[in-house]
Amino acid sequence: MFNTLKTAFKVKDIRMKIIYMLVVLLIIRFGTFIPVPGIDVSALANADVNTTLYAYIAGGSYGTIFAMGIGPYITASIIMQLLTVAIPKLEQINKEEGEEGRKKINKWTRYLALGLAVLQGCGQIYSVHNLFLHQNIFVYFVALVSMVTGTIFVMWLGELLTEAGIGNGSSFIIFANILDKADNALVTLYNYISGEGVMQWVALVLLLAVFLALVVFVVLVQDGERRIPVQYTKKMVGRRYVGGQSSYIPIKVNIAGVMAIIFAVSLLQFPQTIYQFFPGSTVLGNIVAVLELQSPVGCILYMILIFCFTFFYTSFAFNSVEVADNMKKAGGLVPGVRPGKPTADYIQGIVDRMSLIGACFYAVIAFAPIAMQWVFRINVSFGGTTLLIVSGVALELIKSLEAQLVMRNYKGFLS
């Protein structure tokens, strides 16, 4: 990995992309320290802030212009993908219109994210309205406009990162948000072992052992794949035969990657946004408490949602029928399997089994830190889920850099 980064910095084009990414992420993190107009900064510093896992992923801090971060866009993406399955017209636009159809879906996603930003912003302002120096509708409106504008600005920066050509911009923003909150986990661990008991040190050793095991486990799962062999038949082109070579189709252990985790966390934390409008509601308060990841019910739902979103996202990311048709047109076939629908069914069966295995692995990774919190009564937000997201984005970045270096004929850096 370090060798890849070292080689990438030797190429001016790639080096400028990396510096550009770092500058954009620095701007986003800087915005999380700018308070909205009219709020009491000293009172905000002493107020109880949102420290849920979704808040870690979305980024930002209460009372700042980037308080909602990328959160509304994540929620809007989930809703649009669900609607694409539920509404045939949207599915037709997504499949038949190609790139133009995807642009339309993305445009509608941005509009939906804007509406959700207004809704979530109203909830956040209502939850901290006592912290404003002047409590009137005009001050609240200005604060709401600044927060919604900050969210739109973060969305735009995410698209700029994507256009830079080194990966998904939203993933990089989530990556930076999680790393920015990692110091809180270190402070929690320090406070935990500051006592004089021996059990605190034993728990710390076990936590570090589990953390290292999760790192290894995550890397293995991220790089794991099943290769389906493909044999291409020879065909006459002009006066000579071409083709006849062997290849393979790589099927990742979990095609959905970190998106299944992000979608599951976003859906579980959505009632928290509604609760901000009705902080005195006992029913909503009980629902939010039950859906916490540390609660048994919330943990079980979290595992179920990981499985559901894994298969749901895989259905979008991998089309076995399209792969089988492209193979047939190119004269390729899987040994022992007839071309066409039998090949598509064979590939889809492998994809389903690999997704099931990947979902089980990811569920174990997500459950491990929750179990440790149950046993040792220590709340470390930087756990298996955040580690999974961070490692996934980091590996995707390295692979993207490696691919760009290969195109520039840099050999030997993979060894």
Side-chain angles (χ1 to χ4, degrees):
M1 180 181 71
F2 295 106
N3 194 23
T4 301
L5 291 175
K6 180 181 178 181
T7 308
F9 268 94
K10 294 180 180 179
V11 183
K12 182 179 179 180
D13 183 29
I14 301 179
R15 181 174 66 249
M16 295 306 298
K17 289 181 179 180
I18 296 175
I19 295 175
Y20 180 75
M21 179 188 70
L22 295 176
V23 171
V24 171
L25 294 180
L26 183 63
I27 293 174
I28 294 175
R29 297 317 309 163
F30 179 75
T32 60
F33 296 96
I34 302 177
V36 296
I39 200 167
D40 188 347
V41 179
S42 59
L44 179 64
N46 298 323
D48 185 21
V49 296
N50 189 358
T51 57
T52 62
L53 181 57
Y54 179 76
Y56 274 43
I57 293 175
S61 302
Y62 267 31
T64 65
I65 60 174
F66 287 176
M68 295 176 290
I70 199 70
Y73 183 74
I74 296 174
T75 307
S77 299
I78 297 172
I79 295 175
M80 285 303 301
Q81 293 200 28
L82 291 173
L83 292 178
T84 302
V85 177
I87 302 177
K89 182 63 176 180
L90 290 178
E91 186 177 5
Q92 180 182 359
I93 293 175
N94 186 52
K95 290 184 177 181
E96 296 182 2
E97 297 189 15
E99 184 64 26
E100 290 299 322
R102 284 188 287 272
K103 288 182 179 179
K104 290 182 180 179
I105 298 295
N106 290 334
K107 182 176 68 173
W108 295 336
T109 302
R110 297 189 195 100
Y111 289 150
L112 180 58
L114 176 61
L116 292 175
V118 174
L119 179 65
Q120 187 174 345
C122 291
Q124 289 202 15
I125 290 175
Y126 183 81
S127 63
V128 297
H129 70 279
N130 293 327
L131 302 180
F132 283 90
L133 296 174
H134 304 283
Q135 300 179 15
N136 58 69
I137 190 65
F138 177 75
V139 173
Y140 297 153
F141 177 76
V142 172
L144 176 62
V145 171
S146 65
M147 291 174 62
V148 173
T149 304
T151 296
I152 297 174
F153 184 61
V154 172
M155 289 169 50
W156 178 66
L157 291 177
E159 293 182 357
L160 290 182
L161 289 177
T162 302
E163 294 174 0
I166 54 176
N168 185 278
S170 299
S171 298
F172 287 136
I173 294 175
I174 295 172
F175 176 83
N177 293 337
I178 293 175
L179 289 184
D180 181 69
K181 300 297 190 300
D183 58 334
N184 294 337
L186 297 177
V187 172
T188 303
L189 286 176
Y190 176 78
N191 294 333
Y192 184 75
I193 64 175
S194 59
E196 299 179 357
V198 179
M199 291 303 299
Q200 282 84 350
W201 287 97
V202 174
L204 176 63
V205 173
L206 291 177
L207 285 172
L208 293 178
V210 171
F211 181 81
L212 293 177
L214 285 176
V215 171
V216 176
F217 196 48
V218 165
V219 173
L220 292 177
V221 172
Q222 290 283 356
D223 290 338
E225 64 181 19
R226 164 78 181 274
R227 297 181 177 182
I228 302 176
V230 179
Q231 181 67 41
Y232 289 92
T233 59
K234 292 184 178 181
K235 56 183 178 180
M236 178 71 73
V237 178
R239 294 185 176 182
R240 58 194 182 94
Y241 285 97
V242 297
Q245 73 274 17
S246 298
S247 183
Y248 63 87
I249 302 175
I251 306 296
K252 293 179 66 65
V253 173
N254 193 347
I255 299 175
V258 299
M259 297 307 299
I261 303 289
I262 295 174
F263 285 1
V265 174
S266 302
L267 191 60
L268 279 178
Q269 299 297 331
F270 183 73
Q272 177 71 31
T273 303
I274 305 300
Y275 182 63
Q276 292 172 357
F277 290 96
F278 311 98
S281 174
T282 305
V283 176
L284 283 177
N286 293 333
I287 293 175
V288 171
V290 169
L291 294 181
E292 288 289 338
L293 299 183
Q294 289 74 25
S295 70
V297 176
C299 181
I300 293 174
L301 289 177
Y302 184 34
M303 302 297 109
I304 294 175
L305 287 176
I306 289 177
F307 276 86
C308 293
F309 279 118
T310 295
F311 287 96
F312 174 76
Y313 194 84
T314 300
S315 65
F316 285 95
F318 191 92
N319 190 333
S320 59
V321 176
E322 183 178 351
V323 173
D325 290 341
N326 292 336
M327 286 174 52
K328 187 176 181 180
K329 293 176 183 179
L333 54 89
V334 178
V337 182
R338 291 167 51 190
K341 189 177 184 302
T343 299
D345 294 338
Y346 175 77
I347 296 175
Q348 187 61 46
I350 294 178
V351 170
D352 291 340
R353 290 194 296 271
M354 296 299 290
S355 297
L356 178 61
I357 296 173
C360 292
F361 285 162
Y362 279 20
V364 170
I365 292 172
F367 177 72
I370 298 177
M372 296 297 289
Q373 291 178 22
W374 289 349
V375 174
F376 297 104
R377 305 296 181 183
I378 178 174
N379 185 14
V380 180
S381 298
F382 195 86
T385 303
T386 51
L387 176 63
L388 183 62
I389 297 173
V390 169
S391 61
V393 175
L395 289 174
E396 289 178 5
L397 173 61
I398 294 300
K399 290 180 180 179
S400 176
L401 294 177
E402 289 177 349
Q404 296 190 40
L405 289 173
V406 168
M407 290 189 296
R408 289 166 173 78
N409 297 323
Y410 276 87
K411 299 179 181 179
F413 66 91
L414 293 174
S415 59

